[in-house]
Amino acid sequence: MDQKIAEIGSQLQKEFEAVKSAEELEQLRIKYMGRKGVVNDLVKSIPTLPVEQRKTAGQLINKLKNDINGKLNNKKPAEESVTTKKKGAGLFDVTLPGKSIPLGNKHPLVKTLDEIKEIFGKLGFEVEYGREIELEYYNFDALNIPANHASRVDFDTFYISDKALLRSQTSTVQIRTMEKRKPPIRIIAPGKVFRPDTVDARHSFMFHQMEGLIVDETVNFGDLKAVLHLFAKAYFGSDIKMRFRPSFFPFTEPSAEVDISCSICKGKGCSVCSYSGWVEILGAGMVDPNVFKAVGYDEEKYTGFAFGMGVERITMLKYGINDVRLFFENDIRFLSQFK
Ligand code: PHE
């Protein structure tokens, strides 16, 4: 018996050395340690031995078992890593194109807002942000729109409580800025405004405006025209035309509505410009002395101009977008066109 076990020991030593793959190793495991394997056969033969030999035989078999287990464990990880490396090497094709990770892009309105900020930034304008939830005072009273004044109807407004509302125009930021700063002032104020309009291709209950305000000692209407012309040419291109129509806003005097030549049909007439060749993009005017009074500025000393532009409107005109709802539906097929 001792002899037999020693022979098995040296035989298995050779077989283990010859192992080249995980499969071969598994075959060895089955051969020696399997239910019908060599070791089990030895164990089964113990009762056939003379009683005095059984104990040593048992010990030798145990030793052999431990030896085999040790070999199996030592060999395994090395074998496995060799085979995986080999497999990996076969699969890796350096000529394949890499995985492309899709890049996001800015929302078209964010793009426009960035461009606006850059254009006005070059003209020395700083950016101010007001509040979306406002007091009636900033949306109306301080802007020379007294209670019960007919023009409150023009700025149809979501009220939250008696005195609080969702701002219906960014002109609120004119007041907030003048309250905390002294002239000279040169700011733009982009942001959301809210009006209870029924949603359709041209209307939304929320949209964006961009307010502008300059206050200094000698500001005049010519300055207003110059700044707006510069902006329109920078944003739409140098062949854009602009016209001023007399209008009325309680917080500016004189006031104007400003149109640009329709950028879709180049002024020839189309459905976007209602076949007039012109589209309104903003309201503007010289700051009304009553507004200066409301913020405690000397209305004899200072003059200023203000304007309020529709951000969706100018974006639609620039890219030929015909429905304002596209900005808010988050359809990736639309959004991904603005790389
Ligand atoms: N707040 C006005 C509007 O929403 C636009 C405007 C701003 C007009 C500043 C004049 C001066 O229609």
Side-chain angles (χ1 to χ4, degrees), residues 155 169 171 174 195 209 211 249 251-252 283-285 306-308:
F155 297 99
Q169 48 180 342
S171 299
Q174 289 187 37
R195 294 182 191 178
Q209 282 190 334
E211 196 80 4
F249 295 101
F251 34 91
T252 46
F307 57 87

Side-chain angles (χ1 to χ4, degrees), residues 24 39 56 76 83 89 102 121 137 153 160 190 194 196 230 236 263 287 290 334:
E24 284 178 22
V39 173
T56 19
K76 222 174 193 168
T83 44
Y137 175 78
V153 181
I160 297 170
F194 306 84
L230 275 171
F236 288 106
S263 57
V287 179
N290 282 340
F334 169 71

Side-chain angles (χ1 to χ4, degrees), residues 143 154-155 168-172 174 193 195 207 209-212 248-252 254-257 280 282-287 305-309:
L143 285 165
D154 296 335
F155 297 99
S168 56
Q169 48 180 342
T170 45
S171 299
T172 52
Q174 289 187 37
V193 297
R195 294 182 191 178
F207 57 101
Q209 282 190 334
M210 211 268 309
E211 196 80 4
F248 172 78
F249 295 101
F251 34 91
T252 46
S255 302
E257 277 176 317
E280 185 196 322
L282 60 91
M286 301 306 292
V287 179
F305 68 71
F307 57 87
M309 193 164 1

Side-chain angles (χ1 to χ4, degrees), residues 212-230:
L213 173 70
I214 285 196
V215 182
D216 209 335
E217 290 185 15
T218 57
V219 182
N220 60 43
F221 205 93
D223 298 329
L224 169 63
K225 288 185 86 169
V227 165
L228 291 179
H229 264 117
L230 275 171

Side-chain angles (χ1 to χ4, degrees), residues 293-309:
K293 272 188 209 149
V295 296
Y297 280 10
D298 182 348
E299 81 270 21
E300 297 293 330
K301 188 170 169 197
Y302 296 113
T303 53
F305 68 71
F307 57 87
M309 193 164 1

